[in-house]
Amino acid sequence: MSIIKVENLTKIYKCQKRKEGFGNTIKSLFKREYEEKIAVDNISFDIGKGEIIGFIGPNGAGKSTTIKMLVGILVPSKGSIIVNDLIPYKSRIENAKKIGVVFGQKTQLWWDIPVSETFNLMKYMYKIPDEQYKENITFYRDIMDLDEFSHIPVRQLSLGQRMRADFCAALLHNPEIIYLDEPTIGLDVVVKEKIREFIKEINKVRKTTVLLTTHDMSDIEKLCSRVMVIDRGKMMYDGELQQLKSNYGTQQMISIETEGIILSSQEFYKLNIINAEIKNNKALIRYDKTCINATQIISWIMKRYKIKDFTDYEADVEEIIRNMYNELRSLK
């Protein structure tokens, strides 16, 4: 059963045309010209209860605009959205009671009061019963180590502490759906892992539906089995993560540093690679893992050079989407 149903969703912004020059600036005061920008272009999808969905795409693809329409902040230009049997922008208050939102670069916490006081205020805002509130605080305290900073004003928290508090605040009222927009941006590895474990735990224990946007492929790989990819407002892919990686994430790179100067990039093309960039004793090699693997490349180089260091890079989200977009465009 779908908890979120989106059909032919479109969002068009009307933007003023701005021309250079003082004369054009004066003219625009009396006669303005506008152009339309399509931020979200006729997308459709269903999300079932308890799913964790990765919603990915490059900057400006339409991810945040879509989430803002799902939350009810923005009104669609065309199409329909049903969230928990509600139309978000028509039932904003009722919808807000059933969802949680975490934006990585913004906070819903009160800046000058301790975290614990913020939670108390949210208890009254959402009319959370005492028993539910105590149960949730105990549950989140154990997972997110709240005791170490709950008495500290929000403005004095580190980014990692603030994000942990934001997650707890967004979930105090037991929302059925939580929207996460870049929730781990700027966080260190330890805090990222703690937040990922928290998301998995609330999904497992409470069947909370999660829609996650991120540029960190590790977030997607560790949390999501299904992904939706949006690019230039259009839905490019909706399906299993593993299938997406198999289809479009086959290109990888390996960086190798040797003790001696590498003579030429041409010798590397015997390896059936895509390309090689050489600078003194360093080589950056791009290859297709369906044709050759990193072990074969390193073994070949070790026969000719003494290797000081190497790093193997998987294709990131931006590259996977770029590969997908280029392939689909070539078919048109």
Side-chain angles (χ1 to χ4, degrees), residues 106-231:
K106 297 178 182 178
T107 183
Q108 58 190 309
L109 307 173
W110 277 266
W111 204 241
D112 293 311
I113 63 176
V115 172
S116 58
E117 290 301 314
T118 293
F119 290 167
N120 282 327
L121 283 171
M122 300 193 82
K123 173 181 182 292
Y124 289 104
M125 283 174 56
Y126 285 100
K127 300 179 181 178
I128 303 170
D130 290 342
E131 187 175 337
Q132 178 187 320
Y133 178 76
K134 290 176 183 177
E135 180 185 328
N136 283 347
I137 289 295
T138 301
F139 180 58
Y140 301 151
R141 179 188 292 127
D142 294 340
I143 299 175
M144 300 293 262
D145 297 330
L146 293 180
D147 286 341
E148 69 179 57
F149 58 84
S150 63
H151 60 288
I152 300 174
V154 172
R155 59 185 166 77
Q156 295 179 10
L157 299 181
S158 67
L159 177 59
Q161 290 171 332
R162 181 177 66 75
M163 286 306 304
R164 281 147 63 189
D166 260 313
F167 265 89
C168 297
L171 290 158
L172 272 177
H173 58 295
N174 287 356
E176 296 180 53
I177 304 166
I178 183 164
Y179 302 104
L180 307 176
D181 193 6
E182 300 286 358
T184 62
I185 190 169
L187 302 181
D188 63 48
V189 175
V190 175
V191 177
K192 279 186 179 184
E193 194 57 37
K194 190 176 287 292
I195 285 176
R196 289 169 188 150
E197 289 301 319
F198 182 57
I199 294 169
K200 285 192 281 189
E201 189 67 17
I202 59 137
N203 174 257
K204 177 182 175 182
V205 173
R206 296 181 174 165
K207 305 300 180 188
T208 306
T209 303
V210 181
L211 184 61
L212 166 69
T213 79
T214 180
H215 282 88
D216 189 334
M217 198 61 181
S218 296
D219 289 344
I220 301 294
E221 289 181 317
K222 293 185 178 183
L223 293 170
C224 310
S225 57
R226 174 186 167 194
V227 293
M228 299 189 301
V229 181
I230 188 171
D231 185 33

Side-chain angles (χ1 to χ4, degrees), residues 4-192:
I4 299 174
K5 188 173 184 63
V6 171
E7 291 184 350
N8 308 122
L9 183 64
T10 300
K11 182 62 181 178
I12 302 172
Y13 290 108
K14 191 177 180 182
C15 306
Q16 183 182 349
K17 283 186 179 180
R18 296 190 179 276
K19 298 179 181 179
E20 293 183 0
F22 179 74
N24 287 322
T25 301
I26 298 299
K27 286 180 183 178
S28 69
L29 295 174
F30 301 96
K31 185 179 179 181
R32 297 184 178 182
E33 295 182 19
Y34 294 91
E35 60 184 351
E36 290 187 343
K37 178 185 176 184
I38 302 176
V40 176
D41 191 358
N42 197 41
I43 66 172
S44 300
F45 57 86
D46 286 5
I47 296 177
K49 183 173 177 57
E51 284 194 90
I52 303 181
I53 309 291
F55 191 37
I56 58 180
N59 291 328
K63 303 186 299 296
S64 294
T65 300
T66 301
I67 286 183
K68 287 173 183 176
M69 287 190 282
L70 291 170
V71 170
I73 297 172
L74 293 179
V75 178
S77 303
K78 298 176 186 176
S80 66
I81 305 174
I82 303 294
V83 178
N84 256 327
D85 298 322
L86 299 171
I87 299 173
Y89 68 91
K90 289 185 177 179
S91 308
R92 292 183 181 180
I93 295 175
E94 193 174 350
N95 183 59
K97 292 176 182 178
K98 297 182 177 183
I99 66 170
V101 183
V102 177
F103 290 101
Q105 295 179 325
K106 297 178 182 178
T107 183
Q108 58 190 309
L109 307 173
W110 277 266
W111 204 241
D112 293 311
I113 63 176
V115 172
S116 58
E117 290 301 314
T118 293
F119 290 167
N120 282 327
L121 283 171
M122 300 193 82
K123 173 181 182 292
Y124 289 104
M125 283 174 56
Y126 285 100
K127 300 179 181 178
I128 303 170
D130 290 342
E131 187 175 337
Q132 178 187 320
Y133 178 76
K134 290 176 183 177
E135 180 185 328
N136 283 347
I137 289 295
T138 301
F139 180 58
Y140 301 151
R141 179 188 292 127
D142 294 340
I143 299 175
M144 300 293 262
D145 297 330
L146 293 180
D147 286 341
E148 69 179 57
F149 58 84
S150 63
H151 60 288
I152 300 174
V154 172
R155 59 185 166 77
Q156 295 179 10
L157 299 181
S158 67
L159 177 59
Q161 290 171 332
R162 181 177 66 75
M163 286 306 304
R164 281 147 63 189
D166 260 313
F167 265 89
C168 297
L171 290 158
L172 272 177
H173 58 295
N174 287 356
E176 296 180 53
I177 304 166
I178 183 164
Y179 302 104
L180 307 176
D181 193 6
E182 300 286 358
T184 62
I185 190 169
L187 302 181
D188 63 48
V189 175
V190 175
V191 177
K192 279 186 179 184

Side-chain angles (χ1 to χ4, degrees), residues 254-257 298 307-312:
I254 185 168
S255 173
I256 296 175
E257 183 179 357
I298 292 168
I307 295 177
K308 290 175 64 178
D309 192 18
F310 70 89
T311 307
D312 194 23

